[in-house]
């Protein structure tokens, strides 16, 4: 039986970054369990966007801090390859007056928290993104400090920094069962043997509900499939991420020149299906041809899908699980876990160690589902 | 083979890049692909996949046929967005 001080289940951005912050704060035996390889789940399948434009105060504060951290992360983690962080902005399109009014409320909130977003006219939007067809667009919101970050390399940067600080990363190691002993220790059976620790962190993304159920904990989350595609690399013609909540579409051109685009489709299956459909290629092509008609000659290279771990109010579920002392959870990110990890992981590490976190995350606690303090995020694709 | 031989012509990945990643602990084609972009270009790995698998097999001391070949993503051959603008199911 191997002993650890903490075991983190899940080697995505969340598990690797929490491991780094625990190790950096002096925790000695930190173990990350990953069934496949790091960033093989939702992290490595996401749209690679990072933004401060949110509709609820906690998300704005978490993302303002995350982007501040990302600005210096290559140096902090000593990762010479780089993490592909580029601030070329996010442009939200409003297709109706009602939507624009919601954006105005969001921007007012963002500005009050020091986030440099602004309401833009269709004419401004043509200046920010000249290829954008603004037909039917009444306005939008824009923040030039939002942008792109490479999920694979950001996760690897955290994982390597954590292992340099003494953490152990067990890849291709599957969790098979967990029990809690009378002394309060978690005993895990894995494909590579048994391991025990007094603290267990559930950062298993789409599988977090399943991992919790092994301990008899019922998390109010479920998973659903979201599809995405990437094109060949072409000359850089589009700076910001374009988001149309009306079309349920997002599209950005990454620093290497390929376009990444995805849809929020209410008909996608719930559960753990990570397949894909030909219907998606037709649906996304038709939508993108309306917004960016000049890129329809670009060739699609790959399509895939990833799993959003959804919570009832589309907000993360973070912190201690009160019924099971020593158990912590970081899940339910509802499609925006990658971008929130830099700030959330630091706060999670502080909470696990009994410190006061710099960015408060108590509003994301599990107790909100008992006392009814849900806070619905309006700005999600 | 020289260590500056080009393995992935689409993404300019050298044999030495592959070897460095394998030395750092990567063990599968999918990991090499994600962390080097090898096989992510227009040819979708038609040239590099077998070369990388041979290098992984040599590094791990096992036979190529015992390795996971890595995922193949559709559509397999690149298709312009415009080809999807007619037909399909109306959304």
């Amino acid at each position: 039986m191997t002993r650890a001080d903490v075991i983190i289940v899940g080697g995505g951005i969340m598990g690797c970054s929490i491991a780094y912050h625990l190790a950096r704060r002096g925790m000695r035996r930190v173990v990350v369990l990953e069934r496949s390889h790091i960033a093989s789940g939702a992290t490595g399948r996401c749209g690679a966007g990072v933004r401060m434009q949110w509709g609820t105060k906690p998300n704005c504060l978490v993302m303002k801090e995350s982007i501040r951290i990302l600005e210096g992360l290559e140096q902090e983690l000593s990762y010479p390859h780089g993490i592909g962080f580029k601030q070329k902005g996010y442009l939200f399109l409003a297709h109706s007056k009602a939507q624009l009014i919601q954006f105005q409320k969001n921007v007012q909130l963002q500005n009050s928290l020091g986030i440099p977003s602004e309401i833009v006219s269709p004419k401004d939007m043509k200046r920010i993104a000249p290829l954008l067809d603004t037909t039917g667009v009444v306005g939008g919101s824009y923040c030039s400090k939002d942008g792109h970050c490479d999920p694979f390399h950001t996760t690897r940067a955290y994982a390597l920094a954590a292992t340099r600080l003494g953490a152990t990363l067990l890849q291709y190691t599957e969790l098979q069962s967990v029990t809690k002993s009378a002394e309060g220790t978690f005993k895990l059976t894995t494909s590579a043997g048994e391991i025990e620790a007094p603290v267990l962190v559930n950062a298993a993304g789409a599988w977090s509900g399943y991992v919790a159920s092994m301990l008899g904990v019922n998390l109010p989350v479920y998973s659903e499939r979201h599809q995405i595609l990437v094109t060949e690399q072409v000359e850089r013609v589009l700076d910001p991420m374009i988001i149309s909540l009306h079309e349920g579409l997002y599209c950005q051109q990454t620093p290497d020149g390929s376009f990444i685009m995805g849809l929020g489709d209410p008909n996608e299956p719930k559960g753990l299906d990570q397949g894909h459909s030909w219907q998606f290629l037709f649906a996304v092509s038709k939508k993108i041809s309306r917004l960016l008609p000049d890129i329809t000659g670009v060739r699609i290279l790959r399509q895939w899908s990833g799993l959003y771990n959804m919570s009832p109010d589309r907000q993360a579920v973070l912190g201690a699980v009160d019924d099971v002392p020593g158990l912590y959870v970081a899940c339910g990110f509802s499609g925006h876990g990658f971008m929130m990890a830099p700030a959330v992981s630091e706060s999670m590490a502080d909470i696990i160690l009994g410190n006061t976190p710099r960015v408060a995350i108590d509003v994301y606690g599990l107790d909100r589902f008992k006392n009814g303090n849900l806070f619905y995020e309006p700005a999600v694709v | 083979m020289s260590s500056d031989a080009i393995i992935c012509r689409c993404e300019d990945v050298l044999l030495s890049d592959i070897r460095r990643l394998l030395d750092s602990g990567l063990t599968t084609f999918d990991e090499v692909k994600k962390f080097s972009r090898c096989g992510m270009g227009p040819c979708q790995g038609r040239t590099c996949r077998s070369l990388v698998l041979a290098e992984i097999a040599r590094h791990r001391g096992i036979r190529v046929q015992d390795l996971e070949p890595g995922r193949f993503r559709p559509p397999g051959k690149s298709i312009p967005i415009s080809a999807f603008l007619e037909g399909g199911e109306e959304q």
Side-chain angles (χ1 to χ4, degrees), chain A residues 156 172 286 296 299-300 303, chain B residues 24 31 44 74 78-79 82 87:
Chain A
R156 191 156 195 261
Y172 300 102
K286 282 173 181 161
T296 55
R299 303 179 81 92
I300 297 169
Q303 68 171 127
Chain B
S24 77
E31 287 172 86
Q44 287 296 288
S78 67
I79 304 173
S82 56

Side-chain angles (χ1 to χ4, degrees), chain A residues 37-40 45 79 81 152-153 156 160 171-172 231-233 256 258 261 265 274 276 278-279 281-283 285-289 295-305, chain B residues 10-11 20-21 24-28 30-31 33-37 39-44 71-91:
Chain A
H37 57 78
I38 59 165
S40 56
R45 295 160 181 269
Y79 193 69
H81 177 282
F152 299 129
H153 285 285
R156 191 156 195 261
L160 291 179
Q171 296 185 91
Y172 300 102
T231 71
E232 63 183 328
Q233 298 170 10
D256 68 23
S258 48
M261 56 191 86
D265 178 354
Q274 293 192 97
H276 37 72
W278 58 267
Q279 289 92 338
L281 296 180
F282 282 95
S285 296
K286 282 173 181 161
K287 285 173 189 280
I288 203 66
S289 72
I295 71 161
T296 55
V298 177
R299 303 179 81 92
I300 297 169
L301 279 191
R302 284 187 300 283
Q303 68 171 127
W304 67 95
S305 74
Chain B
C10 302
E11 296 282 346
R20 201 175 309 120
L21 286 172
S24 77
L26 271 53
T27 58
T28 61
D30 281 342
E31 287 172 86
K33 172 183 158 188
K34 288 166 182 174
F35 294 106
S36 72
R37 297 196 55 80
M40 284 193 173
C43 92
Q44 287 296 288
R71 253 190 212 98
F72 291 82
R73 298 278 193 211
K77 193 173 188 313
S78 67
I79 304 173
I81 293 170
S82 56
F84 293 97
L85 296 182
E86 283 173 36
E89 285 175 348
E90 280 301 327
Q91 293 275 321

Side-chain angles (χ1 to χ4, degrees), chain A residues 57-72:
Chain A
K57 185 177 170 184
N59 286 353
C60 287
L61 291 174
V62 162
M63 279 316 302
K64 189 184 168 198
E65 177 63 8
S66 271
I67 284 182
R68 191 194 67 76
I69 293 169
L70 285 171
E71 286 171 347

Side-chain angles (χ1 to χ4, degrees), chain A residues 55-110:
Chain A
T56 53
K57 185 177 170 184
N59 286 353
C60 287
L61 291 174
V62 162
M63 279 316 302
K64 189 184 168 198
E65 177 63 8
S66 271
I67 284 182
R68 191 194 67 76
I69 293 169
L70 285 171
E71 286 171 347
L73 197 63
E74 289 173 8
Q75 291 75 22
E76 181 184 342
L77 301 178
S78 307
Y79 193 69
H81 177 282
I83 58 166
F85 180 53
K86 295 275 169 355
Q87 289 168 293
K88 298 280 186 181
Y90 253 65
L91 187 57
F92 279 80
L93 314 185
H95 294 260
S96 67
K97 267 272 159 57
Q99 217 163 31
L100 193 57
I101 289 167
Q102 178 64 50
F103 288 178
Q104 281 162 346
K105 280 185 198 157
N106 294 355
V107 165
Q108 205 168 21
L109 169 71
Q110 291 151 11

